[in-house]
Amino acid sequence: MSTSNSNLANLVEKVIGADGAARVYRLLTIPAVFASWECGQVSRKEMAQALNMVLFHDLLQRVPSGRRYTEEVAARGDKVWHDHGALRTVRWPGNGALPPGESAFTRLLEPLGYRLNGVFPLGRIGMTGRSYAQQDCPDQIAQFFVSELHPEKFSVPFQDAVTRVVSTSRDPLSPKAHWLLHELGRDNRLSVTDAISLLAELQGCFACQHAPPALADYELLRAESAEMAWIATEGNTFNHVTDRVADVAQVALQQKVLKRPMKETVEVSQSGRIRQTAFLADSVVRRFVAADGTLVERDVPGSFYEFISRDCIDGSDQLDLGFDAGNAQGIFKMTAS
């Protein structure tokens, strides 16, 4: 594995293994800010970068279309620039042991140096999106786009089904992880040993924390919200990762020529500076509890791979790192069943 930053190399390799680490280093651009490091002490920005690399690798294991695309990029001698990753949460008091909504993730993003970068009402789908940028180098480390679904905006039967699904949620963070997050937030650094331990637990937060849902509840949720139906099977896994490209329209055209399952149109922000499109979500097989208590399997939408182009803010050389509510709601349709 060719990298000069031994902190990043140790973190990633210890959590996803030597083969996985070699693969993600081959596919991803490592920002220039990581060319220097302090041996034995992992900074919060290194923790943030390592988490993004681990989650990027995890998504590619679940999304064949994204894996194929990134391998094709690498085959021509290029690498992917990871712009942001997205996840979905439910802002609901009956969330089991897991803190409701985005609070389950701000508790770990903030010690890694992430701060709120924008709030985006997603009224058409009963959600709110928030972007978080890493303050040490916001233009180089991938952002997180965390969305919350608001069950109170839907019917009472829908709300009851939400409670039945998410009330079994467990909290994946151990007391030790809480302590290490406190240490990281206070000192902006951890020892390599502690950083490896924490990173492994942070990876586990981006998963489905609740039990398999009842098939009847899934169908009830799907009738009112494709997004909540997705959460019912996928939980808090990365919904998508995003490749920052120079010309998203050109990439979309190239992929359509190859007969890849692309979104029909490119989403353009009100400012015109942000353009997004994506592959359709890959299908996954998930288990449900049938009416007689047996487990049954169904094909459902999984995660997907997105593309984005960003222009500079007018009259400056500063890249527009914002998001757009209209774009987001259009992209969310990639997981509609």
Side-chain angles (χ1 to χ4, degrees), residues 231-250:
I231 294 170
T233 63
E234 308 307 297
N236 306 128
T237 57
F238 247 18
N239 175 257
H240 64 266
V241 297
T242 308
D243 184 4
R244 188 190 300 170
V245 298
D247 187 341
V248 76
Q250 182 181 31

Side-chain angles (χ1 to χ4, degrees), residues 68-69 72 248-267 276-280 307 334:
R68 177 181 55 200
Y69 167 81
E72 290 171 350
V248 76
Q250 182 181 31
V251 170
L253 179 60
Q254 291 169 344
Q255 294 302 308
K256 287 177 181 178
V257 168
L258 294 171
K259 306 299 183 184
R260 303 287 165 75
M262 292 291 295
K263 188 178 184 301
E264 283 298 318
T265 58
V266 172
E267 299 288 339
Q276 295 168 262
T277 194
F279 290 129
L280 302 183
F307 305 90
M334 297 303 93

